[in-house]
Amino acid sequence: MEEEARSFLGRFAEEFPAALKEGAPLPVSPLSRRVTLEELHGESLELGRRLLAARGAPAGLSALLCQAALSQLLQNDLSPFHCAREPGPNQEEEQEVVLLESEAVQRVFLNQLIEVTLGWSQDFPKHPPPPSQFLHCSVHSIKNTRRKMEDKHLALAEFNQLLGVQSQDQCAYYAVFDGHGGVDAATYAATHLHVALSKQESLQSDASSALKMAFKHTDDMFRGKAKRERLRSGTTGVVVLIQRQQLSVAWLGDSQAMLVRGGQAVTLMDPHKPDREDEKQRVEDLGGCITFMGCWRVNGTYAVSRAIGDFDQKPYVSGDADCVTTQLLGDEDYVLLACDGFFDAVEPSEVPHLVREALRRPADPEDVGDAPLEQSEDAAGLRVAQQLVCHAKEAGSSDNITVMLVFLRPLKQLVGQNSTTGATQQ
């Protein structure tokens, strides 16, 4: 691991031997034109991760570099980057929110990142970043037949390192967001929800409460951006947080997570759909209605009853997430997260068999070459999500599809499984 990190630092120093020159184009584009100070945290970390990932940085090293650069950025006086007030109908409200010129402030962040990285290339830390305790994550997503891709996802085994969480309990965070009416809400949630989660005081003691509050806070943050920029999109979301020997799942809408334990599918959650009896009752109690227009919809509009965004239909489309926590016993195979584009075409009970078959399929020689058997198995594991996505498309899904598998035991143990597939309710 140290050799890989040193190799990356050397390559990076050759490409960026000094700070970016004023006026030169940024090597990675900011997500927004203007940001609040709170949004600066998530957008800077995302920008740094994208820059480093595109150059092959090890994930653990990337997380530590981004956190160090952000910490330095926040020590600066950011008042020179405050936006001038723009005349308009919302001027009085905007005076309450300080907005920063994103490109200018992100240039400072990227220069801090370059400075930190150059420092590490010359003086490598005595305690290099530890490897992730989680074995493999396989992710694949496609636009499919839709005009636009509105799904976003995030796999963050280095949660503590990226977000500066000071705890001996390492957290790993995985999320899938399925946008509708545009990708803005999904992008926003993928950029900010994990940051909001890291700031919850209850994170170490009550993960369920922390996740619910992080969803709510992200929805409130997006409301401000949607109002400023006249955005109308929304997104469902499912988040898995692994902490100590607990796996917590929080969700809004019909994206889902499922666990496979000993080759058996375990139901963790019930997606929020308008025709779910308790969701229908909640909407009707608020004065809304559930109608069938090709599918069941809230007030004849959205096909989900809970989401981040969709402010024209709040509170009927609720921003309150549900959460369940499961104790990990050590015999878990993997957890799968996916949007409705997958689960509308594939039954959860089919998943264990599909994954087993994908793992047993011989690796493409072009993928592994002369690699040893262990690396060959790794390559097979990384392809699993791709094969599940292909299966959902062949089964009739025309929607965007995103599938993420987080393996919780060595892949060679899963390849040898011969369990009878079945679904069990936890």
mmCIF file of all heavy atoms in Angstrom, residues 77-118:
data_model
loop_
_atom_site.group_PDB
_atom_site.id
_atom_site.type_symbol
_atom_site.label_atom_id
_atom_site.label_comp_id
_atom_site.label_asym_id
_atom_site.label_seq_id
_atom_site.Cartn_x
_atom_site.Cartn_y
_atom_site.Cartn_z
ATOM 1 N N ASP A 77 -9.442 33.429 5.483
ATOM 2 C CA ASP A 77 -10.481 34.455 5.432
ATOM 3 C C ASP A 77 -11.167 34.331 4.079
ATOM 4 O O ASP A 77 -10.558 34.593 3.028
ATOM 5 C CB ASP A 77 -9.851 35.844 5.593
ATOM 6 C CG ASP A 77 -10.880 36.959 5.442
ATOM 7 O OD1 ASP A 77 -12.098 36.661 5.479
ATOM 8 O OD2 ASP A 77 -10.465 38.129 5.279
ATOM 9 N N LEU A 78 -12.421 33.920 4.077
ATOM 10 C CA LEU A 78 -13.140 33.683 2.831
ATOM 11 C C LEU A 78 -13.978 34.874 2.392
ATOM 12 O O LEU A 78 -14.662 34.809 1.364
ATOM 13 C CB LEU A 78 -14.035 32.436 2.972
ATOM 14 C CG LEU A 78 -13.307 31.126 3.312
ATOM 15 C CD1 LEU A 78 -14.306 29.981 3.437
ATOM 16 C CD2 LEU A 78 -12.253 30.788 2.257
ATOM 17 N N SER A 79 -13.916 35.968 3.149
ATOM 18 C CA SER A 79 -14.740 37.138 2.807
ATOM 19 C C SER A 79 -14.430 37.704 1.424
ATOM 20 O O SER A 79 -15.349 38.231 0.769
ATOM 21 C CB SER A 79 -14.587 38.219 3.871
ATOM 22 O OG SER A 79 -13.245 38.646 3.985
ATOM 23 N N PRO A 80 -13.184 37.624 0.896
ATOM 24 C CA PRO A 80 -12.955 38.136 -0.467
ATOM 25 C C PRO A 80 -13.748 37.396 -1.541
ATOM 26 O O PRO A 80 -13.878 37.896 -2.666
ATOM 27 C CB PRO A 80 -11.443 37.929 -0.664
ATOM 28 C CG PRO A 80 -10.872 37.921 0.704
ATOM 29 C CD PRO A 80 -11.912 37.234 1.543
ATOM 30 N N PHE A 81 -14.265 36.216 -1.202
ATOM 31 C CA PHE A 81 -14.991 35.415 -2.189
ATOM 32 C C PHE A 81 -16.509 35.560 -2.065
ATOM 33 O O PHE A 81 -17.248 34.875 -2.757
ATOM 34 C CB PHE A 81 -14.606 33.942 -2.058
ATOM 35 C CG PHE A 81 -13.123 33.718 -2.093
ATOM 36 C CD1 PHE A 81 -12.435 33.335 -0.950
ATOM 37 C CD2 PHE A 81 -12.413 33.933 -3.255
ATOM 38 C CE1 PHE A 81 -11.072 33.144 -0.972
ATOM 39 C CE2 PHE A 81 -11.040 33.746 -3.294
ATOM 40 C CZ PHE A 81 -10.362 33.358 -2.150
ATOM 41 N N HIS A 82 -16.968 36.441 -1.154
ATOM 42 C CA HIS A 82 -18.404 36.655 -1.008
ATOM 43 C C HIS A 82 -18.985 37.237 -2.290
ATOM 44 O O HIS A 82 -18.391 38.129 -2.898
ATOM 45 C CB HIS A 82 -18.690 37.600 0.167
ATOM 46 C CG HIS A 82 -18.422 36.966 1.500
ATOM 47 N ND1 HIS A 82 -18.712 37.601 2.695
ATOM 48 C CD2 HIS A 82 -17.901 35.758 1.841
ATOM 49 C CE1 HIS A 82 -18.356 36.812 3.703
ATOM 50 N NE2 HIS A 82 -17.875 35.688 3.203
ATOM 51 N N CYS A 83 -20.152 36.723 -2.676
ATOM 52 C CA CYS A 83 -20.823 37.218 -3.883
ATOM 53 C C CYS A 83 -21.437 38.586 -3.618
ATOM 54 O O CYS A 83 -21.937 38.857 -2.513
ATOM 55 C CB CYS A 83 -21.924 36.257 -4.320
ATOM 56 S SG CYS A 83 -21.337 34.633 -4.811
ATOM 57 N N ALA A 84 -21.436 39.429 -4.645
ATOM 58 C CA ALA A 84 -22.153 40.697 -4.570
ATOM 59 C C ALA A 84 -23.650 40.415 -4.562
ATOM 60 O O ALA A 84 -24.113 39.427 -5.152
ATOM 61 C CB ALA A 84 -21.782 41.572 -5.757
ATOM 62 N N ARG A 85 -24.386 41.258 -3.880
ATOM 63 C CA ARG A 85 -25.844 41.087 -3.837
ATOM 64 C C ARG A 85 -26.431 41.324 -5.213
ATOM 65 O O ARG A 85 -26.089 42.283 -5.900
ATOM 66 C CB ARG A 85 -26.465 42.082 -2.853
ATOM 67 C CG ARG A 85 -25.922 41.962 -1.435
ATOM 68 C CD ARG A 85 -26.284 40.635 -0.813
ATOM 69 N NE ARG A 85 -25.797 40.530 0.556
ATOM 70 C CZ ARG A 85 -25.834 39.426 1.267
ATOM 71 N NH1 ARG A 85 -26.341 38.322 0.759
ATOM 72 N NH2 ARG A 85 -25.368 39.396 2.510
ATOM 73 N N GLU A 86 -27.322 40.433 -5.626
ATOM 74 C CA GLU A 86 -27.989 40.585 -6.916
ATOM 75 C C GLU A 86 -29.398 41.093 -6.698
ATOM 76 O O GLU A 86 -30.160 40.509 -5.917
ATOM 77 C CB GLU A 86 -28.025 39.246 -7.664
ATOM 78 C CG GLU A 86 -26.651 38.722 -8.033
ATOM 79 C CD GLU A 86 -26.731 37.419 -8.806
ATOM 80 O OE1 GLU A 86 -27.871 36.939 -9.029
ATOM 81 O OE2 GLU A 86 -25.676 36.881 -9.184
ATOM 82 N N PRO A 87 -29.776 42.177 -7.371
ATOM 83 C CA PRO A 87 -31.144 42.685 -7.209
ATOM 84 C C PRO A 87 -32.156 41.677 -7.723
ATOM 85 O O PRO A 87 -31.915 40.982 -8.713
ATOM 86 C CB PRO A 87 -31.150 43.954 -8.057
ATOM 87 C CG PRO A 87 -30.049 43.751 -9.059
ATOM 88 C CD PRO A 87 -29.005 42.957 -8.348
ATOM 89 N N GLY A 88 -33.245 41.576 -7.007
ATOM 90 C CA GLY A 88 -34.277 40.631 -7.415
ATOM 91 C C GLY A 88 -35.317 40.477 -6.337
ATOM 92 O O GLY A 88 -35.194 41.037 -5.241
ATOM 93 N N PRO A 89 -36.373 39.695 -6.614
ATOM 94 C CA PRO A 89 -37.483 39.552 -5.656
ATOM 95 C C PRO A 89 -37.077 38.891 -4.354
ATOM 96 O O PRO A 89 -37.718 39.080 -3.331
ATOM 97 C CB PRO A 89 -38.502 38.690 -6.424
ATOM 98 C CG PRO A 89 -37.684 37.979 -7.474
ATOM 99 C CD PRO A 89 -36.600 38.925 -7.849
ATOM 100 N N ASN A 90 -35.998 38.092 -4.369
ATOM 101 C CA ASN A 90 -35.595 37.374 -3.152
ATOM 102 C C ASN A 90 -34.409 38.027 -2.453
ATOM 103 O O ASN A 90 -33.744 37.416 -1.642
ATOM 104 C CB ASN A 90 -35.228 35.920 -3.499
ATOM 105 C CG ASN A 90 -36.411 35.145 -4.025
ATOM 106 O OD1 ASN A 90 -37.538 35.360 -3.594
ATOM 107 N ND2 ASN A 90 -36.151 34.259 -4.969
ATOM 108 N N GLN A 91 -34.143 39.297 -2.772
ATOM 109 C CA GLN A 91 -32.948 39.947 -2.248
ATOM 110 C C GLN A 91 -32.930 39.976 -0.724
ATOM 111 O O GLN A 91 -31.913 39.714 -0.096
ATOM 112 C CB GLN A 91 -32.846 41.369 -2.793
ATOM 113 C CG GLN A 91 -31.550 42.080 -2.406
ATOM 114 C CD GLN A 91 -31.441 43.455 -3.016
ATOM 115 O OE1 GLN A 91 -32.425 44.040 -3.436
ATOM 116 N NE2 GLN A 91 -30.224 43.972 -3.074
ATOM 117 N N GLU A 92 -34.077 40.267 -0.102
ATOM 118 C CA GLU A 92 -34.121 40.346 1.363
ATOM 119 C C GLU A 92 -33.792 39.004 1.991
ATOM 120 O O GLU A 92 -33.062 38.923 2.971
ATOM 121 C CB GLU A 92 -35.501 40.826 1.831
ATOM 122 C CG GLU A 92 -35.784 42.276 1.472
ATOM 123 C CD GLU A 92 -37.110 42.736 2.047
ATOM 124 O OE1 GLU A 92 -37.737 41.949 2.800
ATOM 125 O OE2 GLU A 92 -37.533 43.862 1.753
ATOM 126 N N GLU A 93 -34.324 37.913 1.402
ATOM 127 C CA GLU A 93 -34.055 36.592 1.947
ATOM 128 C C GLU A 93 -32.596 36.220 1.741
ATOM 129 O O GLU A 93 -31.977 35.619 2.601
ATOM 130 C CB GLU A 93 -34.966 35.555 1.275
ATOM 131 C CG GLU A 93 -36.446 35.771 1.575
ATOM 132 C CD GLU A 93 -37.306 34.744 0.879
ATOM 133 O OE1 GLU A 93 -36.743 33.719 0.458
ATOM 134 O OE2 GLU A 93 -38.509 34.969 0.752
ATOM 135 N N GLU A 94 -31.994 36.569 0.587
ATOM 136 C CA GLU A 94 -30.616 36.189 0.307
ATOM 137 C C GLU A 94 -29.632 36.909 1.199
ATOM 138 O O GLU A 94 -28.511 36.467 1.368
ATOM 139 C CB GLU A 94 -30.289 36.433 -1.178
ATOM 140 C CG GLU A 94 -30.980 35.452 -2.105
ATOM 141 C CD GLU A 94 -30.140 35.138 -3.327
ATOM 142 O OE1 GLU A 94 -28.999 35.638 -3.408
ATOM 143 O OE2 GLU A 94 -30.610 34.388 -4.188
ATOM 144 N N GLN A 95 -30.044 38.042 1.764
ATOM 145 C CA GLN A 95 -29.147 38.748 2.660
ATOM 146 C C GLN A 95 -28.844 37.923 3.907
ATOM 147 O O GLN A 95 -27.846 38.150 4.581
ATOM 148 C CB GLN A 95 -29.751 40.103 3.048
ATOM 149 C CG GLN A 95 -29.712 41.113 1.901
ATOM 150 C CD GLN A 95 -30.345 42.436 2.280
ATOM 151 O OE1 GLN A 95 -30.916 42.580 3.359
ATOM 152 N NE2 GLN A 95 -30.245 43.407 1.398
ATOM 153 N N GLU A 96 -29.696 36.984 4.215
ATOM 154 C CA GLU A 96 -29.482 36.129 5.373
ATOM 155 C C GLU A 96 -28.484 35.006 5.075
ATOM 156 O O GLU A 96 -27.977 34.379 5.983
ATOM 157 C CB GLU A 96 -30.810 35.517 5.829
ATOM 158 C CG GLU A 96 -31.863 36.574 6.222
ATOM 159 C CD GLU A 96 -33.175 35.916 6.578
ATOM 160 O OE1 GLU A 96 -33.220 34.667 6.618
ATOM 161 O OE2 GLU A 96 -34.154 36.639 6.814
ATOM 162 N N VAL A 97 -28.206 34.746 3.801
ATOM 163 C CA VAL A 97 -27.315 33.662 3.406
ATOM 164 C C VAL A 97 -26.107 34.239 2.684
ATOM 165 O O VAL A 97 -26.251 34.936 1.679
ATOM 166 C CB VAL A 97 -28.043 32.656 2.479
ATOM 167 C CG1 VAL A 97 -27.096 31.538 2.063
ATOM 168 C CG2 VAL A 97 -29.269 32.097 3.167
ATOM 169 N N VAL A 98 -24.920 33.951 3.196
ATOM 170 C CA VAL A 98 -23.695 34.393 2.538
ATOM 171 C C VAL A 98 -23.340 33.383 1.454
ATOM 172 O O VAL A 98 -23.210 32.186 1.721
ATOM 173 C CB VAL A 98 -22.534 34.519 3.542
ATOM 174 C CG1 VAL A 98 -21.238 34.847 2.812
ATOM 175 C CG2 VAL A 98 -22.853 35.590 4.576
ATOM 176 N N LEU A 99 -23.209 33.869 0.229
ATOM 177 C CA LEU A 99 -22.846 33.017 -0.895
ATOM 178 C C LEU A 99 -21.425 33.331 -1.330
ATOM 179 O O LEU A 99 -20.996 34.487 -1.325
ATOM 180 C CB LEU A 99 -23.820 33.226 -2.057
ATOM 181 C CG LEU A 99 -25.276 32.837 -1.797
ATOM 182 C CD1 LEU A 99 -26.146 33.220 -2.981
ATOM 183 C CD2 LEU A 99 -25.387 31.348 -1.526
ATOM 184 N N LEU A 100 -20.710 32.286 -1.728
ATOM 185 C CA LEU A 100 -19.326 32.420 -2.163
ATOM 186 C C LEU A 100 -19.211 32.136 -3.656
ATOM 187 O O LEU A 100 -19.931 31.284 -4.193
ATOM 188 C CB LEU A 100 -18.433 31.433 -1.401
ATOM 189 C CG LEU A 100 -18.491 31.470 0.123
ATOM 190 C CD1 LEU A 100 -17.684 30.320 0.701
ATOM 191 C CD2 LEU A 100 -17.971 32.790 0.648
ATOM 192 N N GLU A 101 -18.307 32.846 -4.322
ATOM 193 C CA GLU A 101 -18.012 32.572 -5.729
ATOM 194 C C GLU A 101 -17.267 31.234 -5.804
ATOM 195 O O GLU A 101 -16.122 31.120 -5.375
ATOM 196 C CB GLU A 101 -17.158 33.688 -6.318
ATOM 197 C CG GLU A 101 -17.861 35.033 -6.418
ATOM 198 C CD GLU A 101 -18.852 35.082 -7.572
ATOM 199 O OE1 GLU A 101 -18.943 34.072 -8.318
ATOM 200 O OE2 GLU A 101 -19.532 36.105 -7.719
ATOM 201 N N SER A 102 -17.928 30.246 -6.354
ATOM 202 C CA SER A 102 -17.418 28.883 -6.263
ATOM 203 C C SER A 102 -16.073 28.704 -6.960
ATOM 204 O O SER A 102 -15.139 28.126 -6.395
ATOM 205 C CB SER A 102 -18.440 27.905 -6.839
ATOM 206 O OG SER A 102 -18.048 26.578 -6.591
ATOM 207 N N GLU A 103 -15.944 29.174 -8.185
ATOM 208 C CA GLU A 103 -14.699 28.932 -8.917
ATOM 209 C C GLU A 103 -13.500 29.550 -8.210
ATOM 210 O O GLU A 103 -12.433 28.933 -8.097
ATOM 211 C CB GLU A 103 -14.792 29.476 -10.344
ATOM 212 C CG GLU A 103 -13.532 29.193 -11.145
ATOM 213 C CD GLU A 103 -13.685 29.491 -12.623
ATOM 214 O OE1 GLU A 103 -14.829 29.636 -13.099
ATOM 215 O OE2 GLU A 103 -12.650 29.563 -13.310
ATOM 216 N N ALA A 104 -13.684 30.762 -7.680
ATOM 217 C CA ALA A 104 -12.571 31.444 -7.017
ATOM 218 C C ALA A 104 -12.161 30.727 -5.731
ATOM 219 O O ALA A 104 -10.967 30.512 -5.470
ATOM 220 C CB ALA A 104 -12.958 32.891 -6.718
ATOM 221 N N VAL A 105 -13.145 30.331 -4.927
ATOM 222 C CA VAL A 105 -12.807 29.695 -3.657
ATOM 223 C C VAL A 105 -12.301 28.266 -3.878
ATOM 224 O O VAL A 105 -11.433 27.780 -3.149
ATOM 225 C CB VAL A 105 -14.006 29.737 -2.683
ATOM 226 C CG1 VAL A 105 -15.089 28.751 -3.079
ATOM 227 C CG2 VAL A 105 -13.562 29.485 -1.251
ATOM 228 N N GLN A 106 -12.794 27.601 -4.919
ATOM 229 C CA GLN A 106 -12.306 26.251 -5.197
ATOM 230 C C GLN A 106 -10.884 26.272 -5.765
ATOM 231 O O GLN A 106 -10.139 25.296 -5.608
ATOM 232 C CB GLN A 106 -13.246 25.517 -6.158
ATOM 233 C CG GLN A 106 -14.639 25.238 -5.598
ATOM 234 C CD GLN A 106 -14.637 24.312 -4.396
ATOM 235 O OE1 GLN A 106 -13.593 23.934 -3.875
ATOM 236 N NE2 GLN A 106 -15.815 23.938 -3.931
ATOM 237 N N ARG A 107 -10.500 27.368 -6.404
ATOM 238 C CA ARG A 107 -9.106 27.491 -6.832
ATOM 239 C C ARG A 107 -8.193 27.485 -5.606
ATOM 240 O O ARG A 107 -7.129 26.849 -5.604
ATOM 241 C CB ARG A 107 -8.908 28.776 -7.642
ATOM 242 C CG ARG A 107 -7.473 28.958 -8.170
ATOM 243 C CD ARG A 107 -7.357 30.257 -8.952
ATOM 244 N NE ARG A 107 -8.254 30.252 -10.089
ATOM 245 C CZ ARG A 107 -7.990 29.697 -11.261
ATOM 246 N NH1 ARG A 107 -6.813 29.093 -11.437
ATOM 247 N NH2 ARG A 107 -8.861 29.728 -12.247
ATOM 248 N N VAL A 108 -8.620 28.182 -4.544
ATOM 249 C CA VAL A 108 -7.846 28.184 -3.303
ATOM 250 C C VAL A 108 -7.796 26.776 -2.720
ATOM 251 O O VAL A 108 -6.741 26.298 -2.285
ATOM 252 C CB VAL A 108 -8.446 29.169 -2.286
ATOM 253 C CG1 VAL A 108 -7.686 29.103 -0.961
ATOM 254 C CG2 VAL A 108 -8.419 30.589 -2.833
ATOM 255 N N PHE A 109 -8.949 26.075 -2.717
ATOM 256 C CA PHE A 109 -8.978 24.704 -2.180
ATOM 257 C C PHE A 109 -8.040 23.792 -2.965
ATOM 258 O O PHE A 109 -7.258 23.025 -2.375
ATOM 259 C CB PHE A 109 -10.395 24.140 -2.221
ATOM 260 C CG PHE A 109 -10.451 22.656 -1.968
ATOM 261 C CD1 PHE A 109 -10.245 22.136 -0.701
ATOM 262 C CD2 PHE A 109 -10.670 21.766 -3.019
ATOM 263 C CE1 PHE A 109 -10.257 20.761 -0.468
ATOM 264 C CE2 PHE A 109 -10.695 20.392 -2.800
ATOM 265 C CZ PHE A 109 -10.481 19.902 -1.520
ATOM 266 N N LEU A 110 -8.107 23.852 -4.290
ATOM 267 C CA LEU A 110 -7.260 22.975 -5.099
ATOM 268 C C LEU A 110 -5.786 23.291 -4.893
ATOM 269 O O LEU A 110 -4.939 22.380 -4.883
ATOM 270 C CB LEU A 110 -7.647 23.093 -6.570
ATOM 271 C CG LEU A 110 -9.032 22.520 -6.928
ATOM 272 C CD1 LEU A 110 -9.382 22.819 -8.379
ATOM 273 C CD2 LEU A 110 -9.084 21.012 -6.675
ATOM 274 N N ASN A 111 -5.468 24.551 -4.698
ATOM 275 C CA ASN A 111 -4.073 24.896 -4.406
ATOM 276 C C ASN A 111 -3.641 24.376 -3.039
ATOM 277 O O ASN A 111 -2.495 23.969 -2.853
ATOM 278 C CB ASN A 111 -3.865 26.409 -4.513
ATOM 279 C CG ASN A 111 -3.688 26.865 -5.957
ATOM 280 O OD1 ASN A 111 -3.229 26.095 -6.807
ATOM 281 N ND2 ASN A 111 -4.062 28.101 -6.252
ATOM 282 N N GLN A 112 -4.565 24.382 -2.079
ATOM 283 C CA GLN A 112 -4.260 23.774 -0.781
ATOM 284 C C GLN A 112 -4.030 22.281 -0.941
ATOM 285 O O GLN A 112 -3.123 21.706 -0.338
ATOM 286 C CB GLN A 112 -5.416 24.019 0.203
ATOM 287 C CG GLN A 112 -5.743 25.453 0.491
ATOM 288 C CD GLN A 112 -4.812 26.095 1.518
ATOM 289 O OE1 GLN A 112 -5.085 27.158 2.038
ATOM 290 N NE2 GLN A 112 -3.712 25.463 1.808
ATOM 291 N N LEU A 113 -4.846 21.639 -1.785
ATOM 292 C CA LEU A 113 -4.704 20.206 -2.033
ATOM 293 C C LEU A 113 -3.356 19.904 -2.695
ATOM 294 O O LEU A 113 -2.675 18.942 -2.330
ATOM 295 C CB LEU A 113 -5.863 19.709 -2.906
ATOM 296 C CG LEU A 113 -5.913 18.214 -3.226
ATOM 297 C CD1 LEU A 113 -5.994 17.388 -1.948
ATOM 298 C CD2 LEU A 113 -7.092 17.895 -4.137
ATOM 299 N N ILE A 114 -2.981 20.723 -3.663
ATOM 300 C CA ILE A 114 -1.683 20.550 -4.322
ATOM 301 C C ILE A 114 -0.553 20.737 -3.309
ATOM 302 O O ILE A 114 0.411 19.955 -3.275
ATOM 303 C CB ILE A 114 -1.548 21.551 -5.494
ATOM 304 C CG1 ILE A 114 -2.506 21.170 -6.620
ATOM 305 C CG2 ILE A 114 -0.110 21.603 -6.004
ATOM 306 C CD1 ILE A 114 -2.626 22.203 -7.721
ATOM 307 N N GLU A 115 -0.672 21.747 -2.450
ATOM 308 C CA GLU A 115 0.369 22.008 -1.448
ATOM 309 C C GLU A 115 0.528 20.824 -0.494
ATOM 310 O O GLU A 115 1.640 20.380 -0.200
ATOM 311 C CB GLU A 115 0.021 23.279 -0.668
ATOM 312 C CG GLU A 115 1.013 23.632 0.431
ATOM 313 C CD GLU A 115 0.575 24.851 1.222
ATOM 314 O OE1 GLU A 115 -0.043 25.754 0.638
ATOM 315 O OE2 GLU A 115 0.851 24.884 2.443
ATOM 316 N N VAL A 116 -0.599 20.292 -0.007
ATOM 317 C CA VAL A 116 -0.544 19.153 0.915
ATOM 318 C C VAL A 116 0.069 17.942 0.223
ATOM 319 O O VAL A 116 0.919 17.235 0.789
ATOM 320 C CB VAL A 116 -1.959 18.812 1.436
ATOM 321 C CG1 VAL A 116 -1.937 17.512 2.233
ATOM 322 C CG2 VAL A 116 -2.499 19.941 2.308
ATOM 323 N N THR A 117 -0.360 17.689 -1.012
ATOM 324 C CA THR A 117 0.131 16.521 -1.741
ATOM 325 C C THR A 117 1.625 16.627 -2.027
ATOM 326 O O THR A 117 2.371 15.643 -1.888
ATOM 327 C CB THR A 117 -0.661 16.346 -3.048
ATOM 328 O OG1 THR A 117 -2.064 16.316 -2.754
ATOM 329 C CG2 THR A 117 -0.283 15.046 -3.736
ATOM 330 N N LEU A 118 2.083 17.812 -2.422
ATOM 331 C CA LEU A 118 3.516 18.006 -2.650
ATOM 332 C C LEU A 118 4.304 17.799 -1.360
ATOM 333 O O LEU A 118 5.395 17.223 -1.369
ATOM 334 C CB LEU A 118 3.773 19.414 -3.207
ATOM 335 C CG LEU A 118 3.311 19.668 -4.652
ATOM 336 C CD1 LEU A 118 3.534 21.123 -5.035
ATOM 337 C CD2 LEU A 118 4.017 18.739 -5.626
#
